[in-house]
Amino acid sequence: MEFLQAIGQYDFLQKALFTSVVVGIICGVIGSFIILRGMSLMGDAISHAVLPGVALSYAFGINFFLGAVATGVLTAIGIGYVSQNSRIKNDTAIGILFTSAFALGIIMITMLKSSTDLYHILFGNVLAVRPSDMWVTVGIGVIVIVTVYAFFKELLLTSFDPTIAAAYGLRNNLIHYLLMTLLTMVTVASLQTVGIVLVVAMLITPAATAYLLTDRLSVMIFLAASFGVISAIIGLYFSFTYNLASGATIVMVATGLFLLAFLFSKKHGVVWKSIRVRQKRAELSK
Amino acid sequence: MNSAVSVRELHVSYFGVEVVQGVSFAVEQGSMVGIIGPNGAGKSTMIKAMLGLIGKDKGDVLFYGKEVSEVRKKIAYVPQRSQIDWTFPITVMDTVLIGTYPSVGLFKFPKKKEKLWAMECLRKVGLEDFAKRQIGELSGGQQQRVFLARALAQKPELLLLDEPFVGIDVASEETIIHILKELQLQDKTIVVVHHDLSKANAYFDQLLLLNKELIKFGAVDEVLNREVMSKAYAHQLQFLEKAEVTA
């Protein structure tokens, strides 16, 4: 109740809540494609790779969004280039490139700004969201949702069956880099809510939860977005009430939802599966 | 008069190793052609190169007298049933519906008309009762029938199938052959990469024997004889002779 009152009272809390909800939605939407394409590690990589871009933006006094998208997309291209043109496997290429980008970012941030800023970038500080940040997040949200809606067929087909996509004349590479660009934008939007280190959790945990509950992609995307929103709201409540880092509480709620689905999903849940096995065996031993 | 498929001097290589060497042939509309040859003969590679899925080093491939990029809608491809993610959240019905995507076009979604047509295609392969199942819950033969239904949903003029009968049950194989023969009666052209020589004469009008280069293209009995076949399977024969000597 106190939380509800505080929302009515404090402007900063309204902005925090609104921003977190938008982040929850777009992380769920993009996250669904990320986990289906087996690119969870790529999500982690991009989120870390935006750090040098953020630092550069500070240095040149431009919006941090521009620098972040630039280094994020550059890293995605770099990873693709290294794994396609050498015997280095994809996960290794990801490991090498994102850690080096991240390391470079840490050095640049410490040289330019105080360590407090680094802390906020790494772990999020949703209660300090400025109106301009909120609008950037909303703008990114609109772009992401419109793009995914417009290219839904193409995203589905290139994720499910790239060979047929190519036979239909679709450019798999183009869709891949489109998705990487959207992923980078989502990461940047999530910086203040959950921070660089935990963005990947918001991307993959709600989507993975949804994946356990349905056999249709469109339903999965809606569920993932809903779980993102629920995690954001409940997480923010705990963050505000007990004065905890918002990123951490939001991610813990998302993990809690995942555990519930993992145990109790009707089709794929561990509990129901073992009950079905037991029932069958009991039936046969009669 | 344009052939359904015409290939001239096609060369394809993987990183400098030539897999398809100067192959030329033409397939007439309404015929059913089997592509046969030993493992590593470049059968699948040739199909992929013809469709522009992998680059070619040299040569021309024309479908109905046009480049592949101009006639993709008319060509249905059923690849080897392998590299897709069987746990993907997609139903059998939605998989077949993918076949309507090329005609639906960008920024639009399949509507009732497309859904009814997809259901009709699913009925043709005898799987209408499985429409709402997740694709991975089906058996190998049923999955292959779903992919044939997806190809049918595309309303193609030409079908290219790569090893469609590998690892599937007899009933599914019969269903697929029956549908292909029916399509042939409607003057559609069918090209199948095939490995089981024993049934080749029952299934096809013409055979194309490939072993990196084109060994022979002609009526089934012109190809399925000892003299011609031994040219393609020469390596295996040599190996057998050596084994006999050392034994």
Side-chain angles (χ1 to χ4, degrees):
Chain A
M1 278 323 287
E2 219 179 303
F3 181 60
L4 288 180
Q5 267 177 4
I7 290 174
Q9 227 163 7
Y10 300 116
D11 187 42
F12 77 90
L13 203 53
Q14 289 167 8
K15 283 204 288 285
L17 189 68
F18 185 68
T19 310
S20 312
V21 165
V22 174
V23 165
I25 293 172
I26 55 179
C27 279
V29 172
I30 293 300
S32 297
F33 291 105
I34 298 299
I35 72 161
L36 290 174
R37 288 168 163 253
M39 294 188 341
S40 301
L41 201 54
M42 197 69 172
D44 203 19
I46 302 293
S47 60
H48 285 76
V50 301
L51 192 59
V54 173
L56 275 180
S57 309
Y58 276 131
F60 292 106
I62 52 173
N63 190 320
F64 71 98
F65 174 69
L66 294 172
V69 170
T71 53
V73 172
L74 268 179
T75 309
I77 292 171
I79 290 166
Y81 187 79
V82 169
S83 62
Q84 276 161 27
N85 292 288
S86 71
R87 62 186 297 184
I88 302 288
K89 292 195 178 73
N90 199 40
D91 58 337
T92 311
I94 289 173
I96 294 168
L97 271 111
F98 99 75
T99 46
S100 42
F102 191 56
L104 181 67
I106 291 175
I107 291 171
M108 286 162 74
I109 292 263
T110 2
M111 279 167 71
L112 291 163
K113 302 276 285 185
S114 72
S115 53
T116 338
D117 289 299
L118 183 61
Y119 184 86
H120 286 323
I121 293 168
L122 294 185
F123 299 106
N125 184 19
V126 73
L127 298 178
V129 168
R130 291 169 304 174
S132 64
D133 301 332
M134 189 178 80
W135 292 119
V136 166
T137 305
V138 171
I140 291 175
V142 171
I143 293 173
V144 166
I145 289 168
V146 168
T147 313
V148 167
Y149 182 79
F151 294 102
F152 183 77
K153 293 201 313 293
E154 289 71 22
L155 284 164
L156 181 152
L157 185 53
T158 53
S159 307
F160 172 55
D161 197 340
T163 313
I164 286 296
Y168 285 177
L170 269 177
R171 301 268 306 274
N172 282 299
N173 256 345
L174 229 56
I175 299 284
H176 174 78
Y177 288 117
L178 173 73
L179 200 59
M180 287 300 105
T181 310
L182 293 178
L183 174 62
T184 311
M185 289 165 74
V186 169
T187 304
V188 174
S190 318
L191 275 187
Q192 285 192 301
T193 325
V194 284
I196 282 179
V197 178
L198 295 176
V199 169
V200 67
M202 278 308 278
L203 281 168
I204 65 178
T205 310
T209 311
Y211 181 54
L212 291 177
L213 296 171
T214 178
D215 283 332
R216 299 200 64 180
L217 179 60
S218 49
V219 179
M220 177 178 164
I221 291 171
F222 277 107
L223 283 177
S226 313
F227 294 143
V229 169
I230 294 170
S231 309
I233 295 173
I234 301 180
L236 205 59
Y237 165 78
F238 282 117
S239 167
F240 177 77
T241 313
Y242 301 103
N243 195 24
L244 298 164
S246 57
T249 52
I250 291 173
V251 169
M252 285 315 289
V253 175
T255 311
L257 291 174
F258 173 76
L259 257 170
L260 286 176
F262 183 73
L263 293 173
F264 302 114
S265 156
K266 207 174 157 211
K267 196 166 173 186
H268 305 287
V270 178
V271 171
W272 292 128
K273 270 199 272 187
S274 78
I275 287 177
R276 278 198 296 271
V277 170
R278 270 185 212 182
Q279 276 176 344
K280 188 77 200 161
R281 286 184 184 163
E283 212 177 284
L284 289 171
S285 64
K286 261 178 205 165
Chain B
M1 177 67 203
N2 284 322
S3 310
V5 187
S6 82
V7 174
R8 204 161 52 84
E9 280 294 300
L10 182 65
H11 289 260
V12 188
S13 62
Y14 280 120
F15 306 107
V17 180
E18 204 157 57
V19 195
V20 177
Q21 302 171 343
V23 171
S24 305
F25 63 91
V27 177
E28 290 312 312
Q29 189 174 333
S31 50
M32 184 145 158
V33 178
I35 299 180
I36 55 171
N39 287 332
K43 305 184 291 284
S44 299
T45 307
M46 184 176 78
I47 295 278
K48 284 182 195 154
M50 283 161 62
L51 288 168
L53 301 180
I54 53 176
K56 59 186 186 212
D57 296 339
K58 184 177 176 249
D60 300 306
V61 178
L62 296 175
F63 295 94
Y64 305 97
K66 290 176 182 156
E67 290 290 329
V68 64
S69 54
E70 293 174 60
V71 285
R72 284 193 186 282
K73 279 186 194 177
K74 287 192 195 172
I75 306 170
Y77 173 49
V78 180
Q80 286 185 32
R81 194 179 52 83
S82 52
Q83 306 113 334
I84 76 162
D85 173 10
W86 297 108
T87 65
F88 197 89
I90 191 165
T91 59
V92 166
M93 176 67 182
D94 286 341
T95 308
V96 178
L97 212 49
I98 287 174
T100 67
Y101 284 7
S103 58
V104 168
L106 203 59
F107 305 132
K108 292 191 193 117
F109 293 98
K111 296 272 168 17
K112 197 173 175 197
K113 190 183 97 188
E114 282 81 18
K115 286 176 185 164
L116 286 172
W117 170 238
M119 199 62 196
E120 176 69 31
C121 295
L122 207 47
R123 198 169 296 126
K124 281 185 193 163
V125 299
L127 289 175
E128 66 271 32
D129 294 339
F130 293 80
K132 288 184 179 159
R133 295 279 196 92
Q134 194 266 338
I135 184 80
E137 292 168 16
L138 271 55
S139 74
Q142 290 169 332
Q143 284 165 354
Q144 192 63 278
R145 276 144 73 191
V146 172
F147 293 129
L148 179 63
R150 174 170 71 183
L152 296 178
Q154 208 183 322
K155 299 183 179 168
E157 285 300 312
L158 168 71
L159 280 95
L160 297 166
L161 299 94
D162 196 349
E163 299 273 14
F165 306 121
V166 168
I168 75 170
D169 55 293
V170 181
S172 291
E173 180 161 342
E174 275 171 8
T175 311
I176 293 172
I177 275 294
H178 179 75
I179 290 169
L180 293 180
K181 298 225 160 169
E182 224 174 67
L183 285 169
Q184 195 193 0
L185 290 178
Q186 297 162 22
D187 212 25
K188 312 294 182 209
T189 313
I190 293 143
V191 177
V192 181
V193 173
H194 190 66
H195 75 289
D196 184 5
L197 297 178
S198 67
K199 286 178 181 162
N201 59 342
Y203 289 171
F204 306 108
D205 313 328
Q206 289 176 300
L207 289 176
L208 191 155
L209 179 59
L210 191 73
N211 190 10
K212 294 192 176 142
E213 40 186 31
L214 182 86
I215 307 287
K216 178 88 182 171
F217 178 43
V220 174
D221 49 359
E222 287 174 42
V223 178
L224 279 185
N225 62 60
R226 184 165 269 277
E227 192 195 341
V228 174
M229 294 300 285
S230 65
K231 282 184 199 159
Y233 292 86
H235 292 288
Q236 274 93 329
L237 289 177
Q238 274 172 10
F239 177 77
L240 286 176
E241 280 158 14
K242 265 186 204 156
E244 276 163 21
V245 170
T246 49

